[in-house]
Amino acid sequence: GSTMNTEPFIKYGIARFTLPMEAEEKKQEALLDYKNGDYDKALSKFTMLSNNGNLDAKFYLGIMHNEGTSGVVNDVLALELFKEASENTKNIAAYVEYGALLESIGGDENKIKSEYWLNKARENIELFEQQAANDPFIKTALGYIYEYSDDDTLYDSDKYFYWINQAAKDGHPQGLFHLSFIYRNGIDHVVEKNQEKAFKLMQTAHEKGLVWATVELALYYLAYSGALTSDEISELGIDVGAIKHGNSQVEKYTKNDAIELLKEAENRNYSEGSIILKHFLTSIEKTEREEQERLTKLEEQKRKRKAEEKEQEKKREKERVAKPTCSTHSEIWSNCEGEWNFEGGDKYIGEWKDDK
């Protein structure tokens, strides 16, 4: 019998199984780079994998562009990447990220799409939990779906806290960010408020390059420096006194520190940073302008008062020069300045006119 040449099949088999393995290795390398804060390397590897059609890489790359760890925020690109990952994989976290980003962009059509993908994530909750086991990106998305669920049977504040806390323990920036809000606001019967812990978690998320945390930290600084009204602080849920208690480092933060953070967020193309910066710069400029106007007015009043006093002094001096000293021998003093001693010991010093 004839001998079949199996070489092409072996090559095909090797190629078929080696390429996905290489892609998986590269993906794991990129995830490790991300965890270590080496975002440039992670971005480069995820981009290469994404360009080669790797759908998991598109999901991770979308997150980096959405949260700003790519350098600058690019929600247009993030949306496209989440869309590709959602439509072509069973990565349930991609459904959540796509749905959440659509919702944040707004508009009726996006709202309908958002609900579709978030509901699809809810329908696959068991698979979602399996996928989350060793992936902090997916843990954060899973926590989100337990908290922001219209389905009362799915809403679970214990699981929300559990998964966000697990992501934060992994050092995941978004996990730290969401855990900060949990401690800021507290969850009834689950987590007590801890403002100092909330603040420190937000600081860490900012240090890890999460631009959302950069803006939140700026709001903290504005609250400390007195640039926010008590109503604004209350609305943010920041207990300034509680955070300051036992944290002397807080005292050093100023309005200028906040502005620097907001400028950093603006430079990284995060629109919320730009909006808040514009609002507070306008507010600060207005306050400073009003203060300058108040000081100018006070200075003008002071100058005017001094001028009037000088004029009065001139007038008095003129009258003093015009009036001679009263003669000690005159029985009647008139149009003169003098001193009169009464028998009871009282003394009068001043001007006399017509014996008065």
Side-chain angles (χ1 to χ4, degrees), residues 180-314:
S180 172
F181 276 100
I182 288 173
Y183 278 109
R184 183 195 288 188
N185 301 317
I187 302 175
D188 287 344
H189 313 299
V190 180
V191 181
E192 286 187 7
K193 287 182 183 181
N194 187 329
Q195 297 287 1
E196 192 171 336
K197 197 166 186 175
F199 172 69
K200 286 177 179 173
L201 284 162
M202 197 61 77
Q203 271 189 317
T204 308
H206 159 68
E207 286 160 8
K208 282 181 171 282
L210 184 66
V211 73
W212 313 340
T214 303
V215 169
E216 285 298 323
L217 204 56
L219 290 173
Y220 270 107
Y221 291 179
L222 286 167
Y224 299 150
S225 64
L228 290 178
T229 66
S230 56
D231 285 345
E232 286 170 323
I233 292 168
S234 178
E235 192 179 319
L236 290 165
I238 301 171
D239 185 341
V240 179
I243 303 161
K244 285 187 175 183
H245 181 68
N247 187 357
S248 58
Q249 292 299 303
V250 172
E251 305 293 341
K252 71 182 182 183
Y253 300 119
T254 66
K255 186 170 61 183
N256 288 336
D257 292 323
I259 290 167
E260 285 306 308
L261 288 177
L262 291 170
K263 282 181 179 174
E264 179 191 327
E266 184 180 46
N267 290 339
R268 291 172 66 191
N269 201 34
Y270 186 42
S271 58
E272 194 170 334
S274 305
I275 292 162
I276 296 168
L277 179 64
K278 188 177 179 182
H279 171 78
F280 282 107
L281 282 179
T282 305
S283 176
I284 288 162
E285 282 170 6
K286 185 186 173 190
T287 305
E288 287 176 349
R289 191 168 61 250
E290 285 172 354
E291 179 63 9
Q292 190 56 50
E293 285 171 1
R294 188 185 71 82
L295 291 172
T296 303
K297 195 174 179 181
L298 280 174
E299 196 60 40
E300 181 61 27
Q301 287 172 348
K302 197 174 173 184
R303 190 193 61 74
K304 197 174 177 182
R305 196 164 54 247
K306 276 189 176 179
E308 285 172 357
E309 285 171 1
K310 199 170 182 182
E311 195 58 40
Q312 289 290 332
E313 183 57 36
K314 277 184 182 178

Side-chain angles (χ1 to χ4, degrees), residues 123-149:
E123 289 162 10
N124 288 274
I125 200 73
E126 287 180 14
L127 178 59
F128 203 171
E129 290 209 352
Q130 290 168 21
Q131 292 175 345
N134 299 306
D135 191 322
F137 290 85
I138 300 177
K139 288 174 186 177
T140 306
L142 181 56
Y144 176 94
I145 211 73
Y146 276 122
E147 171 65 4
Y148 301 98
S149 184

